[in-house]
Every structure is written in structure tokens, then in C-alpha cells.
Amino acid sequence: MSDELRELALELRRHLAWQEADGSRSILAERGAQKPSAPVGKAPPPIAAPKAQPPEPAVARPPPGSAVEVIARRPLDEIRRELGDCQRCKLCKGRSTLVFGTGNPRAELVFVGEGPGEEEDKQGVPFVGKAGQLLTKMIEAMKFTRDDVYICNVVKCRPPNNRNPEPDEIEACEPFLKAQLASIQPKVIVALGKFAAQTLLRDQTAITRLRGQWRQYQGIPLMPTFHPAYLLRQPDEKRLAWLDLQEVMKRFGRTPDSKKGQQ
Ligand code: URA
């Protein structure tokens, strides 16, 4: 046998071993051909292309026993493309516009809210309604601008009549939030309200108890605080939210102007 033929036979044998290890049927059995160890009279058939791999999921499975999930770092526009014209949960039926997120894709500070309201659903931008105006003031009181930070939500589509997002809706959308955070890799996350804090921390403790305490999400410091919509209903609580935001400012070495954040 010529060297060339021997090399081809070896390559075919390696390929068949790979196929059998993979559980798929042998080409030889399918074609009724001889085993490659038998004399080979003519060149073996071309080696079939490997089976098509399923598309990469937004979030890789964590290694068993690991506290930190292994999440692929992908550009935000790729994650947005994967989300597409999302029909993964029932919120798609009532939405006008999917609200992905806005701001600096390399932000050091990310704010995570609950889900779009009426105005956000119209404009496709998070936090642009009344609660959004308050969030903008909070961000500016922290000496950042909206363009410095990144803002997104747990669910990307408006729940009907601004009801709370339901567990199946959060579950369907959560891989995309995680992928966004893995993409941005901020220095600090601020979780606005119960749904953001409880989802990211996997902790059902009430936001009144979670707020103001540093926690970690995937090794990133996370500060839970009140949602701006709650602060519009309970303005007295702005004082506590401002304490939480001042803690965040300290992490960035910024000094608050007195009282500004409570306005
Ligand atoms: N409330 C939220 O949680 N997110 C928005 O985008 C708007 C209001």
C-alpha cells in the first residue's frame, strides 16, 4: 500500500472511532463497506462533515458544584440578535417594542430594573417614563450621566397594565440579562427593586431587608435599592435609597453633594 493510501486508511479509522464514540452509526455499516484494516483497493470515500452543532446558548451551564456560572462573553449586539423578535414567553403578545437596554456597553455601573412600562414600550428605551426621570436624577446625583452607565431590565417586554412579571416570564428572559451583564462586566450593579434584586441574587428576601447591603452577583458587587417607581409613591424612602447610592459612589471614589440625591 502506498504511503498516501495508508495515511487515508488511518484517517478514516480515526474518524470512525470518533463517530462510534459519539454514538452515531458507522459509515462502514451504512455503506456495507469493508473495515479499513482490510486491504484498501481504492481511496476511501470523503470523510463526512461533523454533525452541525446547536447554536451556542446565551448562558453556558455552570460546572457542577460551582457557585459562579460560566457565561460566555459576547458583544451586546450579538445578544440582541439572538433575542430577535422574541416569542419565548407570553409577554410578546402585548408588547409594542422589545426594550433591550441602553447606554455604555463598557459601563462600570449597570442599573437593572424590573420591566418596561408604557412609555418604554412605545420608545423601546428603558426608564424614559416618570420613574425613568427619577432614575436619571439619581444617576446624575451620583455624578454619572445616562451615557456613562448601562440600564436594562429583568424582562424585556412590558407586562400588561404594568403588572408584576411572572416567574415563567422572568425565567425566559433571565439568560439574556445574564448575558448582558457578562458582556459588560461592570464594576458595580445596582438592582432597582424586588424583582431585579431577587432574580440576580436568587434570594426571596424582601427588598426592604435586602436594600443597603452589599451583595455579589457573579463576583460583581451588587447594591440592592428601592425601585424609582416605588420612590415616586413613597417619597420619604428616597432618603434610604440615597444612602444606598452613596455607598455605590464611595466604591467609585466619588463624594456626594449633600442632600442632592434625595430630591
Ligand atoms: N420600570 C422599570 O423597571 N423599567 C423601566 O424600564 C421602566 C420602568
Side-chain angles (χ1 to χ4, degrees):
M1 195 191 308
S2 73
D3 286 351
E4 199 184 349
L5 276 178
R6 193 170 295 114
E7 187 48 43
L8 277 169
L10 272 173
E11 195 180 333
L12 179 60
R13 200 175 307 155
R14 279 196 295 271
H15 175 69
L16 290 170
W18 171 79
Q19 271 221 328
E20 272 155 9
D22 193 39
S24 45
R25 287 165 62 205
S26 146
I27 292 176
L28 290 176
E30 272 174 35
R31 297 183 181 209
Q34 290 172 307
K35 292 204 169 173
S37 54
V40 181
K42 56 181 173 134
I47 292 168
K51 281 192 289 183
Q53 297 298 309
E56 194 187 328
V59 178
R61 292 269 152 250
S66 147
V68 173
E69 267 181 300
V70 179
I71 304 175
R73 187 175 191 190
R74 299 185 296 146
L76 285 174
D77 57 356
E78 189 185 311
I79 300 163
R80 177 64 190 89
R81 269 199 305 279
E82 185 185 335
L83 194 51
D85 178 29
C86 185
Q87 313 280 322
R88 291 170 181 79
C89 84
K90 56 190 179 301
L91 292 182
C92 67
K93 297 198 184 89
R95 72 155 185 251
S96 304
T97 323
L98 187 149
V99 182
F100 181 66
T102 189
N104 180 354
R106 291 281 163 268
E108 295 192 333
L109 178 58
V110 171
F111 291 85
V112 180
E114 178 180 318
E118 189 178 5
E119 200 52 42
E120 291 78 18
D121 178 66
K122 277 188 201 147
Q123 297 190 33
V125 182
F127 282 99
V128 286
K130 287 212 173 82
Q133 286 161 22
L134 177 56
L135 178 63
T136 304
K137 280 192 189 169
M138 290 157 68
I139 291 168
E140 287 171 356
M142 296 171 77
K143 303 184 179 174
F144 286 91
T145 67
R146 273 180 74 113
D147 290 339
D148 295 330
V149 304
Y150 191 82
I151 307 172
C152 59
N153 285 303
V154 172
V155 294
K156 312 296 187 218
C157 299
R158 182 191 182 202
N161 303 315
N162 297 344
R163 67 154 167 76
N164 290 337
E166 293 175 355
D168 59 313
E169 297 158 358
I170 294 175
E171 198 187 324
C173 228
E174 192 183 359
F176 295 94
L177 171 61
K178 290 180 164 184
Q180 284 173 299
L181 295 171
S183 173
I184 299 166
Q185 299 193 357
K187 287 197 175 140
V188 174
I189 298 168
V190 174
L192 298 166
K194 147 182 165 158
F195 288 96
Q198 293 183 346
T199 301
L200 291 172
L201 297 175
R202 299 225 168 272
D203 182 337
Q204 294 305 299
T205 306
I207 187 67
T208 44
R209 290 192 48 218
L210 288 174
R211 65 140 286 276
Q213 308 291 325
W214 281 110
R215 299 286 296 267
Q216 296 244 322
Y217 164 80
Q218 294 270 101
I220 303 169
L222 180 149
M223 174 57 77
T225 193
F226 290 130
H227 192 286
Y230 171 78
L231 297 174
L232 288 174
R233 295 193 300 273
Q234 304 288 338
D236 290 351
E237 303 283 49
K238 284 187 189 171
R239 187 183 57 82
L240 291 177
W242 181 227
L243 289 178
D244 305 343
L245 298 181
Q246 287 179 78
E247 284 304 311
V248 175
M249 290 181 75
K250 281 187 211 155
R251 287 265 165 154
F252 287 99
R254 295 171 189 219
T255 333
D257 296 337
S258 63
K259 294 250 173 192
K260 193 153 187 209
Q262 293 181 49
Q263 290 154 13

